[in-house]
Coordinates of all heavy atoms in Angstrom, one line a residue:
M1 N 0.9 -1.2 -0.1 CA 0.0 0.0 0.0 C 0.9 1.2 0.0 O 1.8 1.3 0.7 CB -1.0 0.0 1.3 CG -1.8 1.2 1.3 SD -3.1 0.9 2.5 CE -4.3 1.9 1.8
S2 N 0.5 2.2 -0.8 CA 1.3 3.4 -0.9 C 1.1 4.3 0.3 O 0.1 4.4 0.9 CB 0.9 4.3 -2.1 OG 1.0 3.5 -3.2
E3 N 2.1 5.1 0.7 CA 2.1 5.8 1.8 C 2.2 7.3 1.2 O 3.0 7.6 0.5 CB 3.4 5.7 2.7 CG 3.3 6.5 4.0 CD 4.5 6.1 4.9 OE1 5.0 5.0 4.7 OE2 5.0 7.0 5.7
Y4 N 1.4 8.1 1.9 CA 1.2 9.6 1.5 C 1.7 10.5 2.6 O 1.2 10.2 3.8 CB -0.3 9.9 1.0 CG -0.7 9.0 -0.1 CD1 -1.7 8.1 0.0 CD2 -0.1 9.1 -1.3 CE1 -2.2 7.2 -0.9 CE2 -0.6 8.2 -2.4 CZ -1.5 7.3 -2.2 OH -2.0 6.5 -3.2
V5 N 2.4 11.4 2.4 CA 2.9 12.3 3.4 C 2.4 13.7 3.3 O 2.4 14.3 2.1 CB 4.5 12.3 3.3 CG1 5.1 13.2 4.4 CG2 5.1 10.9 3.4
S6 N 1.9 14.2 4.3 CA 1.5 15.8 4.4 C 2.6 16.6 4.6 O 3.6 16.3 5.2 CB 0.6 15.9 5.5 OG 0.1 17.3 5.5
L7 N 2.7 17.8 3.7 CA 3.8 18.6 3.8 C 3.3 20.0 4.6 O 4.0 20.9 4.6 CB 4.2 19.1 2.4 CG 4.9 18.1 1.5 CD1 5.4 18.7 0.2 CD2 5.9 17.3 2.3
G8 N 2.2 19.9 5.1 CA 1.6 21.1 5.8 C 0.2 21.5 5.2 O -0.4 20.7 4.5
K9 N -0.1 22.7 5.4 CA -1.4 23.1 4.8 C -1.5 23.1 3.4 O -2.6 22.9 2.8 CB -1.8 24.6 5.5 CG -2.1 24.5 7.1 CD -2.5 26.0 7.4 CE -2.7 25.9 8.8 NZ -3.1 27.2 9.3
R10 N -0.5 23.5 2.7 CA -0.4 23.8 1.3 C 0.9 23.2 0.8 O 2.0 23.5 1.3 CB -0.6 25.2 0.9 CG -0.8 25.5 -0.5 CD -2.1 25.2 -1.0 NE -2.1 25.2 -2.4 CZ -3.1 25.8 -3.2 NH1 -4.0 26.5 -2.6 NH2 -3.0 25.7 -4.4
V11 N 0.8 22.5 -0.3 CA 2.0 21.9 -1.1 C 2.5 23.2 -1.8 O 1.8 23.8 -2.6 CB 1.7 20.8 -2.0 CG1 3.0 20.5 -2.8 CG2 1.3 19.6 -1.1
S12 N 3.8 23.6 -1.5 CA 4.4 24.7 -2.2 C 5.8 24.4 -2.4 O 6.3 23.4 -2.0 CB 4.3 25.9 -1.4 OG 5.1 25.8 -0.1
V13 N 6.5 25.2 -3.2 CA 7.9 25.0 -3.5 C 8.7 25.1 -2.2 O 9.5 24.2 -2.0 CB 8.4 26.1 -4.6 CG1 10.0 26.0 -4.8 CG2 7.7 26.0 -5.8
S14 N 8.5 26.0 -1.3 CA 9.2 26.0 -0.2 C 9.0 25.0 0.8 O 9.9 24.4 1.4 CB 9.0 27.3 0.6 OG 7.7 27.5 1.0
A15 N 7.7 24.4 0.8 CA 7.4 23.2 1.7 C 8.1 22.0 1.1 O 8.6 21.2 1.8 CB 5.9 23.0 1.6
I16 N 8.2 21.8 -0.3 CA 8.9 20.7 -0.9 C 10.4 20.8 -0.7 O 10.9 19.9 -0.2 CB 8.6 20.7 -2.4 CG1 7.1 20.3 -2.7 CG2 9.5 19.7 -3.1 CD1 6.7 20.5 -4.1
R17 N 11.0 22.0 -0.7 CA 12.4 22.1 -0.4 C 12.7 21.9 1.0 O 13.7 21.1 1.2 CB 12.8 23.6 -0.8 CG 12.9 23.8 -2.2 CD 13.3 25.3 -2.5 NE 13.4 25.5 -3.9 CZ 13.4 26.7 -4.5 NH1 13.0 27.8 -3.8 NH2 13.5 26.8 -5.8
D18 N 12.0 22.3 1.9 CA 12.2 22.0 3.4 C 12.1 20.6 3.6 O 12.9 19.9 4.2 CB 11.1 22.8 4.2 CG 11.3 24.2 4.3 OD1 12.4 24.7 3.8 OD2 10.5 25.0 4.7
Y19 N 11.0 19.9 3.0 CA 10.9 18.5 3.2 C 12.0 17.6 2.6 O 12.5 16.8 3.3 CB 9.6 18.1 2.6 CG 9.1 16.6 2.8 CD1 8.8 16.1 4.1 CD2 9.5 15.7 1.8 CE1 8.5 14.8 4.3 CE2 9.2 14.2 2.1 CZ 8.7 13.9 3.3 OH 8.4 12.6 3.5
L20 N 12.4 18.0 1.4 CA 13.6 17.3 0.8 C 14.8 17.4 1.6 O 15.6 16.4 1.8 CB 13.7 17.7 -0.6 CG 12.7 17.5 -1.5 CD1 13.0 18.1 -3.0 CD2 12.3 16.0 -1.7
F21 N 15.1 18.5 2.2 CA 16.2 18.8 2.9 C 16.2 18.1 4.3 O 17.2 17.4 4.7 CB 16.5 20.3 3.1 CG 17.7 20.6 3.8 CD1 19.0 20.5 3.3 CD2 17.6 21.0 5.2 CE1 20.1 20.8 4.0 CE2 18.8 21.4 5.8 CZ 20.0 21.4 5.3
V22 N 15.1 18.2 5.0 CA 15.0 17.7 6.3 C 15.0 16.1 6.2 O 15.6 15.4 7.0 CB 13.7 18.1 7.0 CG1 13.4 17.3 8.3 CG2 13.8 19.5 7.4
K23 N 14.3 15.5 5.2 CA 14.1 14.0 5.1 C 15.3 13.4 4.3 O 15.3 12.2 4.1 CB 12.8 13.6 4.6 CG 11.7 14.1 5.4 CD 11.6 13.3 6.7 CE 10.4 13.6 7.6 NZ 10.4 12.9 8.8
K24 N 16.2 14.2 3.7 CA 17.3 13.8 2.9 C 16.8 12.8 1.9 O 17.4 11.8 1.7 CB 18.3 13.2 3.8 CG 18.8 14.1 4.9 CD 19.9 13.4 5.7 CE 20.4 14.5 6.8 NZ 20.8 14.0 8.0
I25 N 15.8 13.3 1.1 CA 15.4 12.6 -0.1 C 16.4 12.6 -1.1 O 17.0 13.8 -1.4 CB 14.1 13.1 -0.6 CG1 13.0 13.2 0.5 CG2 13.5 12.3 -1.8 CD1 12.6 11.9 1.2
D26 N 16.8 11.5 -1.8 CA 17.9 11.4 -2.7 C 17.6 12.0 -4.1 O 16.4 12.0 -4.6 CB 18.3 9.9 -2.9 CG 18.9 9.3 -1.6 OD1 19.6 10.1 -0.7 OD2 18.8 8.1 -1.3
K27 N 18.6 12.5 -4.7 CA 18.6 12.9 -6.1 C 18.2 11.6 -6.9 O 18.6 10.5 -6.5 CB 19.9 13.4 -6.7 CG 20.2 14.8 -6.2 CD 21.5 15.2 -6.9 CE 21.9 16.6 -6.4 NZ 23.0 17.1 -7.0
G28 N 17.3 11.8 -7.8 CA 16.9 10.5 -8.7 C 15.6 10.0 -8.1 O 15.0 9.3 -8.8
D29 N 15.3 10.3 -6.9 CA 13.9 9.9 -6.3 C 12.9 10.8 -7.0 O 13.2 11.8 -7.5 CB 13.8 9.9 -4.7 CG 14.8 8.8 -4.1 OD1 15.1 7.9 -4.9 OD2 15.1 8.9 -3.0
S30 N 11.6 10.5 -6.6 CA 10.4 11.3 -7.1 C 9.4 11.6 -6.2 O 9.3 10.8 -5.3 CB 9.8 10.5 -8.3 OG 10.7 10.2 -9.4
L31 N 8.8 12.7 -6.3 CA 7.6 13.0 -5.4 C 6.4 13.1 -6.3 O 6.4 13.8 -7.4 CB 7.8 14.3 -4.7 CG 8.7 14.5 -3.6 CD1 8.6 15.9 -3.0 CD2 8.4 13.5 -2.5
I32 N 5.4 12.3 -6.0 CA 4.2 12.3 -6.8 C 3.2 13.2 -6.1 O 2.9 13.2 -4.9 CB 3.5 10.9 -6.9 CG1 4.5 9.9 -7.3 CG2 2.4 10.9 -7.9 CD1 5.2 10.0 -8.6
L33 N 2.7 14.2 -6.9 CA 1.8 15.3 -6.2 C 0.3 15.1 -6.9 O 0.3 14.8 -8.1 CB 2.3 16.7 -6.6 CG 3.3 17.4 -5.7 CD1 4.5 16.7 -5.7 CD2 3.5 18.8 -6.1
N34 N -0.7 15.4 -6.2 CA -2.1 15.6 -6.8 C -1.9 16.5 -7.9 O -1.1 17.5 -7.8 CB -3.0 16.0 -5.7 CG -4.3 16.2 -6.1 OD1 -4.7 17.3 -6.6 ND2 -5.3 15.3 -5.8
I35 N -2.8 16.4 -8.9 CA -2.8 17.2 -10.1 C -3.0 18.8 -9.6 O -2.3 19.6 -10.1 CB -3.9 16.9 -11.0 CG1 -3.5 15.4 -11.7 CG2 -4.1 17.9 -12.1 CD1 -4.6 15.0 -12.5
A36 N -3.9 19.0 -8.7 CA -4.0 20.5 -8.3 C -2.8 21.0 -7.5 O -2.5 22.2 -7.8 CB -5.3 20.5 -7.4
D37 N -2.2 20.2 -6.7 CA -0.9 20.6 -6.1 C 0.1 20.8 -7.1 O 0.9 21.8 -7.1 CB -0.5 19.6 -5.0 CG -1.5 19.6 -3.9 OD1 -2.0 20.7 -3.5 OD2 -1.6 18.6 -3.2
Y38 N 0.3 19.9 -8.1 CA 1.3 20.0 -9.1 C 1.0 21.4 -9.9 O 2.1 22.1 -10.1 CB 1.3 18.9 -10.0 CG 2.2 18.9 -11.1 CD1 3.6 18.3 -10.9 CD2 2.0 19.5 -12.3 CE1 4.6 18.4 -11.9 CE2 3.0 19.6 -13.3 CZ 4.2 18.9 -13.1 OH 5.1 19.0 -14.2
E39 N -0.1 21.7 -10.3 CA -0.5 22.9 -11.1 C -0.2 24.2 -10.1 O 0.4 25.1 -10.6 CB -1.9 22.9 -11.6 CG -2.2 21.8 -12.5 CD -1.4 21.9 -13.8 OE1 -1.0 23.0 -14.2 OE2 -1.1 20.8 -14.4
H40 N -0.4 24.1 -8.9 CA -0.1 25.1 -8.0 C 1.4 25.4 -7.9 O 1.8 26.6 -7.9 CB -0.7 24.9 -6.6 CG -0.2 25.9 -5.5 ND1 -0.8 27.1 -5.5 CD2 0.7 25.8 -4.6 CE1 -0.1 27.7 -4.4 NE2 0.8 26.9 -3.9
V41 N 2.2 24.3 -7.7 CA 3.6 24.4 -7.6 C 4.1 24.9 -8.9 O 5.0 25.9 -9.0 CB 4.2 23.1 -7.3 CG1 5.8 23.1 -7.5 CG2 3.9 22.8 -5.9
L42 N 3.7 24.5 -10.1 CA 4.1 25.0 -11.3 C 3.8 26.4 -11.6 O 4.7 27.3 -12.0 CB 3.5 24.2 -12.5 CG 4.0 24.4 -13.9 CD1 5.5 24.0 -14.0 CD2 3.1 23.4 -14.8
E43 N 2.6 26.9 -11.1 CA 2.2 28.3 -11.3 C 3.1 29.1 -10.3 O 3.4 30.2 -10.7 CB 0.7 28.5 -10.9 CG 0.2 29.7 -11.3 CD 0.2 30.0 -12.8 OE1 0.1 29.1 -13.7 OE2 0.4 31.1 -13.2
E44 N 3.4 28.6 -9.1 CA 4.3 29.4 -8.1 C 5.6 29.6 -8.8 O 6.2 30.8 -8.7 CB 4.3 28.5 -6.9 CG 5.0 29.3 -5.8 CD 5.1 28.4 -4.5 OE1 4.5 27.3 -4.4 OE2 5.8 28.8 -3.6
I45 N 6.2 28.6 -9.4 CA 7.4 28.7 -10.1 C 7.5 29.8 -11.3 O 8.3 30.6 -11.3 CB 8.0 27.5 -10.6 CG1 8.3 26.5 -9.4 CG2 9.3 27.5 -11.4 CD1 8.6 25.1 -9.7
K46 N 6.4 29.7 -12.0 CA 6.2 30.7 -13.2 C 6.1 32.1 -12.6 O 6.8 33.0 -13.1 CB 4.9 30.3 -13.9 CG 5.1 29.1 -14.8 CD 3.8 28.9 -15.5 CE 3.9 27.6 -16.4 NZ 2.5 27.3 -17.0
K47 N 5.4 32.3 -11.5 CA 5.3 33.7 -11.0 C 6.6 34.2 -10.3 O 6.8 35.4 -10.3 CB 4.1 33.7 -9.9 CG 2.7 33.6 -10.6 CD 1.6 33.6 -9.5 CE 0.3 33.6 -10.1 NZ -0.7 33.5 -9.2
S48 N 7.3 33.2 -9.9 CA 8.7 33.7 -9.2 C 9.7 34.2 -10.2 O 10.6 34.8 -9.8 CB 9.2 32.4 -8.5 OG 9.8 31.6 -9.3
G49 N 9.5 33.9 -11.4 CA 10.5 34.4 -12.4 C 11.6 33.3 -12.6 O 12.5 33.5 -13.5
E50 N 11.6 32.3 -11.8 CA 12.6 31.2 -12.0 C 12.4 30.5 -13.3 O 11.2 30.3 -13.6 CB 12.6 30.2 -10.9 CG 13.0 30.8 -9.5 CD 12.9 29.8 -8.4 OE1 13.2 28.6 -8.6 OE2 12.6 30.1 -7.3
P51 N 13.4 30.0 -13.9 CA 13.2 29.2 -15.1 C 12.5 27.9 -14.7 O 12.7 27.3 -13.8 CB 14.6 28.9 -15.6 CG 15.6 29.2 -14.6 CD 14.8 30.1 -13.6
V52 N 11.6 27.5 -15.5 CA 10.8 26.2 -15.4 C 11.4 25.2 -16.2 O 11.4 25.2 -17.5 CB 9.2 26.4 -15.7 CG1 8.5 25.1 -15.5 CG2 8.7 27.5 -14.9
D53 N 12.0 24.2 -15.7 CA 12.6 23.0 -16.4 C 11.6 21.8 -16.4 O 10.9 21.5 -15.3 CB 13.9 22.5 -15.8 CG 14.9 23.5 -15.9 OD1 15.0 24.3 -16.8 OD2 15.8 23.5 -15.0
I54 N 11.3 21.3 -17.5 CA 10.4 20.2 -17.6 C 11.3 19.0 -18.0 O 11.9 19.1 -19.0 CB 9.3 20.4 -18.6 CG1 8.5 21.7 -18.3 CG2 8.2 19.2 -18.7 CD1 7.6 21.6 -17.0
P55 N 11.3 17.9 -17.4 CA 10.6 17.6 -16.2 C 10.9 18.5 -15.1 O 12.1 18.8 -14.9 CB 10.7 16.1 -16.0 CG 12.0 15.8 -16.6 CD 12.3 16.9 -17.7
L56 N 9.8 18.8 -14.2 CA 10.1 19.6 -13.0 C 10.9 18.7 -12.0 O 10.6 17.8 -11.7 CB 8.7 19.9 -12.5 CG 8.6 20.9 -11.3 CD1 9.1 22.3 -11.8 CD2 7.1 21.2 -11.0
N57 N 11.9 19.4 -11.4 CA 12.6 18.9 -10.4 C 13.2 19.9 -9.4 O 13.2 21.0 -9.8 CB 13.8 18.0 -10.9 CG 15.0 18.9 -11.3 OD1 15.6 19.4 -10.5 ND2 15.1 19.0 -12.6
I58 N 13.2 19.5 -8.1 CA 13.7 20.4 -7.1 C 14.8 19.6 -6.4 O 14.5 18.5 -5.9 CB 12.6 20.8 -6.1 CG1 11.5 21.5 -6.9 CG2 13.2 21.6 -4.9 CD1 10.3 21.9 -6.0
F59 N 16.0 20.2 -6.3 CA 17.2 19.5 -5.7 C 17.5 18.2 -6.3 O 17.9 17.3 -5.7 CB 17.1 19.4 -4.2 CG 17.0 20.6 -3.5 CD1 16.3 20.8 -2.3 CD2 17.6 21.8 -3.8 CE1 16.1 21.9 -1.5 CE2 17.5 23.0 -3.1 CZ 16.8 23.0 -1.9
G60 N 17.1 18.0 -7.6 CA 17.5 16.7 -8.3 C 16.3 15.7 -8.1 O 16.4 14.6 -8.5
V61 N 15.2 16.1 -7.3 CA 14.2 15.1 -7.1 C 13.1 15.5 -8.1 O 12.7 16.6 -8.2 CB 13.6 15.2 -5.7 CG1 12.5 14.4 -5.4 CG2 14.8 14.9 -4.7
L62 N 12.7 14.4 -8.8 CA 11.6 14.7 -9.9 C 10.3 14.9 -9.3 O 9.9 14.1 -8.3 CB 11.6 13.4 -10.8 CG 10.8 13.5 -12.0 CD1 11.2 14.6 -13.0 CD2 10.8 12.1 -12.7
I63 N 9.6 15.9 -9.8 CA 8.3 16.3 -9.3 C 7.3 15.9 -10.4 O 7.4 16.3 -11.5 CB 8.1 17.8 -9.0 CG1 9.2 18.3 -8.0 CG2 6.7 18.0 -8.4 CD1 9.3 17.6 -6.6
V64 N 6.4 14.9 -10.0 CA 5.6 14.2 -11.0 C 4.0 14.4 -10.7 O 3.7 14.3 -9.5 CB 5.9 12.6 -11.1 CG1 5.1 12.0 -12.2 CG2 7.3 12.4 -11.3
K65 N 3.3 14.7 -11.8 CA 1.9 14.8 -11.5 C 1.3 13.5 -11.5 O 1.5 12.6 -12.2 CB 1.3 15.4 -12.8 CG 0.0 15.8 -12.8 CD -0.6 16.4 -14.0 CE 0.1 17.5 -14.7 NZ -0.5 18.1 -15.9
D66 N 0.4 13.2 -10.5 CA -0.3 12.0 -10.3 C -1.3 11.8 -11.3 O -2.4 12.5 -11.3 CB -1.0 12.0 -8.9 CG -1.9 10.7 -8.6 OD1 -1.6 9.7 -9.3 OD2 -2.7 10.7 -7.7
R67 N -1.2 10.9 -12.3 CA -2.1 10.7 -13.4 C -3.2 9.7 -13.1 O -4.2 9.6 -13.8 CB -1.3 10.2 -14.6 CG -0.2 11.2 -15.0 CD 0.1 11.1 -16.5 NE 1.2 12.0 -16.8 CZ 1.0 13.2 -17.3 NH1 -0.2 13.7 -17.4 NH2 2.0 13.9 -17.6
N68 N -3.2 9.1 -11.9 CA -4.2 8.1 -11.6 C -5.2 8.6 -10.4 O -6.2 8.0 -10.3 CB -3.5 6.8 -11.0 CG -2.6 6.0 -11.8 OD1 -2.8 6.1 -13.0 ND2 -1.5 5.6 -11.3
G69 N -4.9 9.9 -9.9 CA -5.8 10.4 -9.1 C -5.7 9.7 -7.6 O -6.6 9.9 -6.8
D70 N -4.6 9.1 -7.3 CA -4.5 8.3 -6.0 C -4.0 9.2 -4.9 O -4.3 9.0 -3.8 CB -3.4 7.1 -6.1 CG -4.0 6.1 -7.1 OD1 -5.2 6.0 -7.3 OD2 -3.1 5.5 -7.8
V71 N -3.2 10.3 -5.2 CA -2.5 11.1 -4.2 C -3.6 12.1 -3.7 O -4.0 12.9 -4.5 CB -1.2 11.8 -4.7 CG1 -0.7 12.6 -3.6 CG2 -0.2 10.8 -5.1
P72 N -3.9 12.2 -2.4 CA -4.9 13.2 -1.9 C -4.2 14.6 -2.0 O -3.0 14.8 -1.9 CB -5.1 12.8 -0.5 CG -4.5 11.4 -0.3 CD -3.6 11.2 -1.4
I73 N -5.2 15.6 -2.1 CA -4.6 17.0 -2.2 C -3.9 17.3 -0.8 O -4.4 16.8 0.2 CB -5.9 18.0 -2.4 CG1 -6.3 17.9 -3.8 CG2 -5.4 19.4 -2.1 CD1 -7.6 18.7 -4.0
G74 N -2.7 18.0 -0.8 CA -2.0 18.3 0.3 C -1.0 17.3 0.8 O -0.3 17.4 1.7
K75 N -1.0 16.2 0.0 CA 0.0 15.1 0.3 C 0.8 14.8 -0.8 O 0.5 15.2 -2.0 CB -0.7 13.9 0.9 CG -1.6 14.2 2.1 CD -2.0 13.0 2.7 CE -2.8 13.4 4.0 NZ -2.5 12.6 5.1
V76 N 2.0 14.1 -0.6 CA 2.9 13.7 -1.7 C 3.1 12.2 -1.5 O 3.0 11.6 -0.3 CB 4.2 14.4 -1.7 CG1 3.9 15.9 -2.0 CG2 5.0 14.3 -0.4
Q77 N 3.5 11.5 -2.5 CA 3.9 10.1 -2.5 C 5.4 10.1 -2.8 O 5.9 10.6 -3.8 CB 3.2 9.3 -3.4 CG 3.6 7.9 -3.3 CD 2.8 7.0 -4.3 OE1 2.2 7.5 -5.2 NE2 2.9 5.7 -4.2
I78 N 6.3 9.4 -2.1 CA 7.7 9.4 -2.3 C 8.0 8.0 -3.1 O 7.5 7.0 -2.6 CB 8.6 9.4 -1.0 CG1 8.3 10.6 -0.3 CG2 10.0 9.3 -1.4 CD1 8.6 10.6 1.1
V79 N 8.7 8.1 -4.2 CA 9.0 7.0 -5.0 C 10.5 7.0 -5.1 O 11.1 7.8 -5.8 CB 8.3 6.9 -6.3 CG1 8.7 5.8 -7.1 CG2 6.8 7.0 -6.2
E80 N 11.1 5.9 -4.7 CA 12.5 5.8 -4.7 C 13.0 5.5 -6.1 O 12.1 4.9 -7.0 CB 13.2 4.8 -3.8 CG 12.9 5.0 -2.3 CD 13.4 4.0 -1.4 OE1 13.8 2.9 -1.9 OE2 13.1 4.1 -0.2
D81 N 14.1 5.9 -6.6 CA 14.6 5.8 -8.0 C 14.3 4.5 -8.5 O 13.9 4.3 -9.7 CB 16.0 6.2 -8.0 CG 16.6 6.2 -9.5 OD1 15.9 6.6 -10.4 OD2 17.7 5.9 -9.6
D82 N 14.7 3.4 -7.8 CA 14.7 2.0 -8.4 C 13.2 1.4 -8.5 O 13.1 0.4 -9.1 CB 15.5 1.1 -7.6 CG 15.2 1.0 -6.1 OD1 14.3 1.8 -5.7 OD2 15.6 0.0 -5.4
K83 N 12.3 2.2 -7.9 CA 10.9 1.7 -8.1 C 10.0 2.3 -9.0 O 8.9 2.1 -9.3 CB 10.1 1.9 -6.7 CG 10.8 0.9 -5.5 CD 10.1 1.2 -4.3 CE 10.8 0.4 -3.2 NZ 10.1 0.7 -1.9
M84 N 10.6 3.3 -9.8 CA 9.8 4.0 -10.8 C 9.8 3.3 -12.2 O 10.7 2.8 -12.5 CB 10.3 5.5 -10.9 CG 9.4 6.3 -11.6 SD 8.8 7.5 -10.5 CE 7.7 8.4 -11.8

């Protein structure tokens, strides 16, 4: 069974960066986001003026849109590199 982790009230670029740093998520791993959260993060990056690289990644961790609708809003799923 998949495990979903809450990053706080709202999934944001800063919440993702903090989580990756604190939990020491490895480069090459992936975070799966609910479609609404993914779009919010993408919009946040666009508004910041930072370049948007597709595929989207933060600290070398791939940020992926949940295409199955399994990940609840406000949570993420961590997928290790060898399981993707």
Side-chain angles (χ1 to χ4, degrees):
M1 178 165 209
S2 297
E3 184 176 335
Y4 305 109
V5 179
S6 177
L7 298 186
K9 290 184 179 183
R10 182 81 194 222
V11 175
S12 66
V13 174
S14 63
I16 292 171
R17 286 179 177 153
D18 291 346
Y19 182 77
L20 296 176
F21 183 73
V22 169
K23 296 297 183 179
K24 298 179 179 150
I25 306 298
D26 294 327
K27 286 183 180 179
D29 290 346
S30 300
L31 285 184
I32 312 297
L33 276 62
N34 176 282
I35 292 172
D37 290 328
Y38 181 89
E39 295 299 328
H40 171 76
V41 167
L42 191 59
E43 197 59 37
E44 187 180 354
I45 292 171
K46 286 179 184 177
K47 287 180 181 178
S48 75
E50 294 180 33
V52 178
D53 293 328
I54 303 295
L56 188 60
N57 78 74
I58 298 175
F59 296 149
V61 174
L62 190 61
I63 308 301
V64 181
K65 186 186 314 185
D66 176 23
R67 300 203 183 272
N68 299 325
D70 297 330
V71 179
I73 291 177
K75 297 192 179 225
V76 299
Q77 179 182 15
I78 302 162
V79 178
E80 294 177 3
D81 185 33
D82 60 345
K83 294 182 183 174
M84 192 107 180

